[in-house]
Amino acid sequence: MVRIPNTNADILKSKTRRGLPYPVDYGTATTAEYIQALDNFHQVFGIRAGDHVVMLTDPLLDPRVLQTVQGLCKSRGATFISYMGESTRYVVVPDEAKALLERATFVVSTWFASVFDPFCQNLRRKKGQRWVKITFFRNIDLWHTPQARFPIEIVGELVRGTSRLYPEHGPFDMRITDQRGTDFRVPFSADMRERMKKDNRWRGHNYANEDGCYVHYMPTHGPNLYDPFMFGNDPEHKVGINGVIYAQWGVGFEKPFDEPPGVEFKDDRVVAVHGDSEEAAVLREFLIGGTLEELGCGHNPKAPRFDIYPAGPNSPGALHFGINGLKESEYLRRMMPNWEEPHVHMDLVTFDATVTAGNRVLIEDGFLQSLRDPKVIECASRYGDPLELLEQFPV
């Protein structure tokens, strides 16, 4: 098994580690590499002639990102309008923006509400709106990075490869363990698995060209190994999530945890945060009573392994446990006043976990098993050396 960087020492040595919002030098791509990134952008943004595109933005978004979308609309015969909110942290869409969204056929958004607000969900489900979430495209200089030019077709096949690792029939337990003592279980029903596999992101479809789709640019944040959409986002549904997570790191903390706190779940809610460290006290202050909103796994082999800001890592096999507490965290408000996520949210991160689904291994010691899937390797071979593309992780 290939050794990938996973330890705290690896994180601290990394030139790309980032748990807080500090400036990043994205480097400069060659012309050929830059064209690859642009081609990915044009493929993902499936804007059509006659579309009415609405872009939901925030004051900290690079204005050049807005101009790229506007320019693409002009080149394809689509109309365009933008609405700047106070921040990205809306959990529901404000009334004055709803009228603009009602007219849209295509939406580009920086807002947290995009995925969770029932209003947005209904626009996709009932009106067939196509949505692109740009959590990870806030600066046009990202077009110079390896993750921007990584072939989207390989990302899609990699996601499908992970999907094939799930048990095919009946209920099963997803179990997550690591060397720090994490032992965390999510029971899956057959219905949850079937709903998951129908989602466009789990089908490995990363282009915004299907009615009702919701995709991320840059691909791919997720798809989530667990997500409440798998049972229809019903707040009354009882999953039976139990166990404890000893994460290596969390968004909002400058460096990995020296003494990993133990976040314990019982019957779907956080019931305790174990440990005497300052980090444990921070988490205890707002996570008790909270719920797991996502268990995300990266699927872009060229995403920096240890760049976890603003919403967890995108590197294959790296996990983020997205937990929503019952109140805002004063610590997060102080450390990240302009964070792109609501201050009730916490992404706890592990890089070395083993994840099983029933008797199937999805991730072993932080290595995503679908990287070795024959179909993934065949797909990657059309773009270059599969070993370099799939198993050389930038740190």
Side-chain angles (χ1 to χ4, degrees):
M1 177 63 68
V2 63
R3 184 201 178 268
I4 56 177
N6 283 332
T7 67
N8 281 15
D10 293 322
I11 299 172
L12 292 171
K13 288 189 295 185
S14 170
K15 295 181 180 179
T16 61
R17 72 173 174 93
R18 187 171 66 137
L20 288 169
Y22 58 78
V24 177
D25 180 1
Y26 296 111
T28 302
T30 66
T31 300
E33 291 169 339
Y34 196 72
I35 291 298
Q36 288 177 268
L38 292 181
D39 187 53
N40 278 348
F41 168 74
H42 288 111
Q43 288 189 68
V44 171
F45 281 71
I47 296 171
R48 307 165 185 160
D51 269 334
H52 180 57
V53 179
V54 173
M55 190 165 179
L56 304 176
T57 71
D58 63 272
L60 299 181
L61 181 69
D62 180 351
R64 296 175 299 169
V65 172
L66 188 146
Q67 292 163 17
T68 64
V69 178
Q70 183 183 28
L72 188 60
C73 290
K74 287 184 175 182
S75 73
R76 295 186 179 179
T79 55
F80 174 88
I81 192 168
S82 66
Y83 177 94
M84 180 183 288
E86 294 181 358
S87 76
T88 62
R89 295 189 298 276
Y90 291 108
V91 293
V92 295
V93 173
D95 289 340
E96 61 264 30
K98 288 182 177 180
L100 295 177
L101 284 175
E102 287 278 5
R103 294 182 49 226
T105 59
F106 194 104
V107 180
V108 182
S109 176
T110 70
W111 294 3
F112 191 80
S114 303
V115 63
F116 289 112
D117 188 346
F119 175 78
C120 302
Q121 295 170 358
N122 285 333
L123 290 174
R124 292 190 287 271
R125 183 168 58 248
K126 296 180 179 180
K127 299 190 68 173
Q129 287 184 356
R130 290 121 55 215
W131 282 60
V132 179
K133 181 68 160 53
I134 56 170
T135 301
F136 293 94
F137 184 50
R138 296 188 55 80
N139 186 322
I140 200 173
D141 294 333
L142 281 157
W143 277 342
H144 290 281
T145 63
Q147 66 264 32
R149 58 183 176 264
F150 187 78
I152 293 175
E153 184 182 356
I154 304 177
V155 173
E157 193 58 62
L158 189 55
V159 170
R160 289 188 289 273
T162 301
S163 177
R164 290 190 288 270
L165 291 173
Y166 278 72
E168 298 173 2
H169 305 287
F172 62 91
D173 277 1
M174 176 174 287
R175 185 185 183 196
I176 303 170
T177 58
D178 60 43
Q179 61 184 352
R180 290 171 303 284
T182 293
D183 194 348
F184 188 76
R185 295 174 187 262
V186 180
F188 270 69
S189 66
D191 287 344
M192 286 171 62
R193 179 191 58 245
E194 293 309 308
R195 186 186 289 262
M196 178 197 88
K197 292 198 174 190
K198 290 178 181 178
D199 179 71
N200 65 278
R201 293 174 68 200
W202 267 111
R203 290 188 290 111
H205 193 88
N206 294 303
Y207 308 112
N209 58 5
E210 291 184 342
D211 288 352
C213 68
Y214 178 87
V215 305
H216 275 267
Y217 181 78
M218 298 173 176
T220 174
H221 183 60
N224 294 326
L225 302 182
Y226 161 82
D227 191 303
F229 92 86
M230 296 174 183
F231 49 82
N233 292 298
D234 179 1
E236 303 301 320
H237 184 86
K238 305 300 181 186
V239 181
I241 297 172
N242 288 285
V244 62
I245 304 161
Y246 287 96
Q248 286 171 277
W249 202 3
V251 175
F253 297 92
E254 183 177 4
K255 61 185 181 66
F257 302 136
D258 292 326
E259 302 175 32
V263 178
E264 182 179 357
F265 280 76
K266 185 175 182 180
D267 298 331
D268 298 342
R269 292 195 175 271
V270 177
V271 296
V273 177
H274 303 283
D276 299 321
S277 65
E278 291 184 9
E279 294 91 345
V282 167
L283 299 179
R284 191 177 295 118
E285 179 259 332
F286 77 109
L287 285 188
I288 301 296
T291 55
L292 184 69
E293 296 301 314
E294 61 179 345
L295 170 55
C297 176
H299 277 78
N300 189 322
K302 296 309 178 188
R305 186 69 174 174
F306 303 125
D307 185 353
I308 69 171
Y309 183 87
N314 289 326
S315 180
L319 302 181
H320 63 275
F321 299 79
I323 304 169
N324 280 4
L326 300 184
K327 61 179 181 178
E328 288 190 337
S329 165
E330 294 183 5
Y331 171 86
L332 294 179
R333 288 172 57 196
R334 184 169 60 253
M335 297 299 294
M336 303 185 297
N338 297 314
W339 190 27
E340 290 86 348
E341 306 273 78
H343 292 115
V344 299
H345 192 71
M346 170 51 60
D347 284 307
L348 295 175
V349 175
T350 65
F351 303 101
D352 60 354
T354 293
V355 181
T356 57
N359 61 358
R360 308 276 190 90
V361 179
L362 273 62
I363 300 170
E364 184 175 0
D365 297 332
F367 186 86
L368 185 65
Q369 297 298 291
S370 57
L371 290 163
R372 298 278 176 83
D373 184 294
K375 291 185 177 180
V376 174
I377 294 172
E378 180 184 1
C379 178
S381 68
R382 297 197 290 271
Y383 294 88
D385 180 359
L387 188 65
E388 186 280 326
L389 286 167
L390 299 173
E391 298 193 23
Q392 289 187 11
F393 300 98
V395 295

